[in-house]
Structures are given as structure tokens and as C-alpha cells.
Amino acid sequence: MNKWKETISILFISACFIGIIILTRTQIKSNQELVVNLPQSTKLHILINGYNFFEEVVFSELFEHKDEIVIEKIKDLFKKRKKRKSNLQELNIDYTKPIELVQIEYKSKNVVVLKFNIDNLTEFDKNINNNHLPIFRIKENSFLILNSPNKNLDKIKEIFKTNQFSYHLKNDLSKQVISRFQNTKLISKSAIQFDKNKILIDISSDLIDNKHNVLCPRGFHFSTSINLNNNLPFKSHLAQIIKFEELEYISLNYLGLKMTDDDLVPAVPRFEAICTYKNSTQADSLIQRVLYEMKAPIDKKEIDEYSLADQRIKFKQLDSNQFVISTLEDDYKLKNIELNPYFTGNPRNLILVENAGWKGLFLELIPTFKATKNLLDDNIQVKTKRTGVKAQQISITFKQKQSLHELLKFALNFI
């Protein structure tokens, strides 16, 4: 996983800097139709139009913002990279062409592959023979396996060479496209576009017209159907107890953390959620097992209530496979929607901390917390609206800030 993150991070930053050179090349046509060949076991396909995206990032940072902090962080990053041998240049990536991420299922496990067009085949073949990366080539395309052992290399290569289906995609170069498949059928497509002070996510899906009872939004709200099955990215014991793979739908309001005076449980999240499972699931048993696994001191106060530190955890079984769980003082309220997923509210609630006192000073010393707090200020607002039959749009508005610049500042804190 760490190698995956590092590869994507280096790819992002490197492309920003070589963007000026790339811009002198001939662009590919806008709104072209791409025919992408994918293995029949494909679950997820992400199309990254790096050319236009990095063009905007480069010119925005060099000629508009001229943010000295951002520029210094990027310079420091490249100084560190010079001290270590990098395989990125040896990959000979053609940044003028779209880059793809493909998630396939192989032996009931997820395999994520980075696919890109090779700029110089001769150089690529020469370099790759001296490289120990899990990578292979099919004609002018290269495939870098991000999360699977080298021993599966030949088998995965065979999957990408045979028994494939064609995906016809009209590609708007100003957008990044995420497509989900089930048995080679397209079940949803999301197009992400970065406007000056907005991020717009246009979604088309058969699931949008389905009616759902969700929590009336407060704090930061999201409701979404879930279809993990065997695609769970982590296999912890806690995840097995919560039965993530059986979770079918969740509606959640999150209002931040509340600090306590209990050293064993220093903080309790302020939230309410409706969880719907595919099979019969009892809230009481699940909550007990989760808290026991976390070694949290609990005390059952009522038939439907636990005490955790100085906070309450309430639950209500709605039917055999659905329940409500909450740490809020007042009761939940429901509404009916035909949006899926449904996001709304102020994401600042994600890092809101109540009753922090002197502990809040330590949180401010954590770079990632401070960076997240700077990003998620009161100027950000998230909304979801219908835009057509089986179509909707999620908008993330930065109001007085520019979205790409803020995201770049944020991302540099994690590299």
C-alpha cells in the first residue's frame, strides 16, 4: 500500500513540473471516443486526464498563486527524491495520453493496476529489464501492478491479454472519469471536474432512482448504498465484527468528536447512523463485540443504551437487518430521497473537536490535522442535486478559495 501511495504521489508532483514541457506537444482531441479493453473481472476503472489537469495546476501555481510555501515544499520533495534512485523516469510514461487505474478481481482478491501509454518503447524495454517492479508491456501500453506479489505477474498479464470486453467512453479531457462494473455491465459512471472554486461530480447510475429513507441532514451528512462483497480493502478483525462485507446501505450524520475525562476513552464521536445489512444483524450484539474488541469500558444502562466514558450510545432495532445507532442527545428524524450517494453539509464537522481544552493544543501540533483543518474551513459547502433521469451532481464549493490550489497544499502535507 505504501509503495502504491508513493508511486501515485510521485507521478502527480512530477507531472506538475514537466507539464510545461508537455504543453509544447500536440494535444489529443477533446471529447474523443475512447475504446478501452478491460478484463471481464473488472470492478473499477479510473481514467486520469493528466494533460489538461496538470496544465491547469502548473499555470495556476506559477502565474497566479505563486505560493512560496507550496513551491518550497515541492522543492524539498525533489531534493529528497534525488537522494534516492527513482524508477519513475525509467517507466517512460507518455503524459499527453490518459492514464488508467484498473481494479480487477483475481482469486477473490482485488488487484489494482496502473496502465499508461509508453513514450519510448526502446528505452522502456531497456530500462525494465534492469528493474524489479511488477510491470509488463502489451504493445504500446505498460501495466504496473500496485498491490500484488511478483509471482502473479504472468497470470495477471494473461488476464489483460485475453477474454476482455470493450468499454466505449466519450472522454471530456477536462474531467476525470470513474466507472464501476458488475459482470462487464457498467453500473455507474462519475465524471469529476475542477472548476475555479468548485469540484463538480456528475454521476449517472441505475441506483439513483431508488427511494431511500435517510436521516434528516445535520452536521456533515452522507447516505449511500454499499456493495463490498469480497472487495473489502482491509481484513482486520474489527472489520469482520462490524461485517462490512454484508453492509448494504448506510445513512450517517457526523458532528465531530467530543473529548472526555476518561483516559481509556479520550474521545467519543458525535454521530447517528442507520445501518442496513443484507442479512439479519442484531445491533446489541454487534455493539458489544465492537466495544469489547476496542477494550472500551462499557456499562449497559438501559435495554437499548450503553454508557461509554461520560457519553451514551443508543441503539434501536428497526427490523431484523436494520438498526439506528447514535451518541447524540436528541432522537433521529427521517426523510425520503431519490439520490444515491447523497452528500450535504459542512465537511468541517469531520475535524470539529468539542471540549478539547488543553488537548486541542496538541492536535494543532499534528501537521496532518492542521492541514485538514485549514482545508475544511467554514467556506466549504457540499450539496447533492438531481440533474436528470438517473443522473445527479455533487458540488463541493470553496467559495472564496480556488479548489486546485487548496487541494495541492493539502496533498503536499502527506508526501
Side-chain angles (χ1 to χ4, degrees), residues 100-364:
E100 302 168 58
L101 275 172
V102 185
Q103 176 190 311
I104 65 172
E105 185 174 337
Y106 174 67
K107 293 186 176 180
S108 300
K109 294 182 180 179
N110 287 322
V111 176
V112 181
V113 177
L114 180 71
K115 176 186 174 184
F116 57 88
N117 194 272
I118 301 170
D119 187 39
N120 187 313
L121 292 177
T122 303
E123 287 294 317
F124 176 88
D125 290 339
K126 182 177 69 175
N127 292 333
I128 219 63
N129 289 331
N130 301 319
N131 202 308
H132 299 291
L133 288 173
I135 192 169
F136 58 86
R137 175 168 77 85
I138 301 176
K139 297 182 179 179
E140 73 279 1
N141 292 316
S142 178
F143 301 78
L144 174 63
I145 303 174
L146 300 177
N147 67 335
S148 185
N150 284 353
K151 63 181 180 180
N152 295 326
L153 191 62
D154 291 337
K155 295 177 181 178
I156 294 174
K157 182 177 181 179
E158 189 65 23
I159 290 174
F160 276 87
K161 287 181 66 176
T162 60
N163 204 22
Q164 300 201 333
F165 70 98
S166 295
Y167 174 37
H168 293 256
L169 173 64
K170 190 173 182 180
N171 184 28
D172 183 339
L173 300 178
S174 67
K175 299 177 181 180
Q176 319 303 318
V177 184
I178 302 174
S179 307
R180 295 185 179 276
F181 298 88
Q182 188 172 21
N183 297 324
T184 73
K185 179 186 177 182
L186 179 68
I187 57 175
S188 72
K189 184 173 73 174
S190 303
I192 305 171
Q193 182 171 6
F194 295 86
D195 281 359
K196 187 170 184 179
N197 68 329
K198 286 184 180 181
I199 301 174
L200 301 175
I201 307 172
D202 291 294
I203 302 172
S204 59
S205 170
D206 291 338
L207 301 174
I208 291 175
D209 279 343
N210 297 343
K211 293 184 178 181
H212 297 280
N213 278 325
V214 304
L215 295 167
C216 288
R218 49 177 168 170
F220 183 69
H221 174 94
F222 77 85
S223 297
T224 183
S225 58
I226 299 173
N227 185 23
L228 291 173
N229 295 325
N230 294 323
N231 296 322
L232 196 64
F234 48 86
K235 295 288 185 179
S236 70
H237 185 53
L238 183 60
Q240 293 176 353
I241 293 175
I242 297 175
K243 300 196 293 187
F244 274 127
E245 293 180 4
E246 294 184 25
L247 192 59
E248 191 171 54
Y249 192 89
I250 186 169
S251 178
L252 181 140
N253 287 325
Y254 190 84
L255 289 83
L257 281 176
K258 187 171 184 178
M259 307 300 290
T260 74
D261 296 326
D262 193 320
D263 292 335
L264 295 176
V265 188
V268 175
R270 299 186 65 241
F271 77 101
E272 58 184 358
I274 295 180
C275 300
T276 305
Y277 284 82
K278 297 174 184 176
N279 302 310
S280 177
T281 303
Q282 297 301 308
D284 194 2
S285 173
L286 187 146
I287 293 169
Q288 282 192 53
R289 293 182 64 194
V290 168
L291 295 175
Y292 178 80
E293 177 69 16
M294 297 174 64
K295 296 181 171 57
I298 60 171
D299 183 20
K300 192 165 187 178
K301 293 294 186 182
E302 305 289 342
I303 191 171
D304 60 353
E305 183 179 310
Y306 286 91
S307 175
L308 177 62
D310 55 356
Q311 305 299 307
R312 296 187 305 166
I313 299 179
K314 301 180 293 181
F315 64 92
K316 182 177 181 180
Q317 194 79 33
L318 301 180
D319 55 39
S320 62
N321 67 327
Q322 187 180 63
F323 60 84
V324 180
I325 179 172
S326 173
T327 59
L328 304 180
E329 294 76 18
D330 49 353
D331 207 359
Y332 67 94
K333 296 179 181 179
L334 299 178
K335 64 180 288 188
N336 191 267
I337 63 165
E338 294 180 351
L339 297 167
N340 189 9
Y342 175 48
F343 288 82
T344 189
N346 189 338
R348 188 173 181 81
N349 286 277
L350 297 172
I351 47 92
L352 185 65
V353 181
E354 290 189 14
N355 197 33
W358 60 269
K359 298 176 183 177
L361 298 176
F362 289 97
L363 289 174
E364 293 290 340

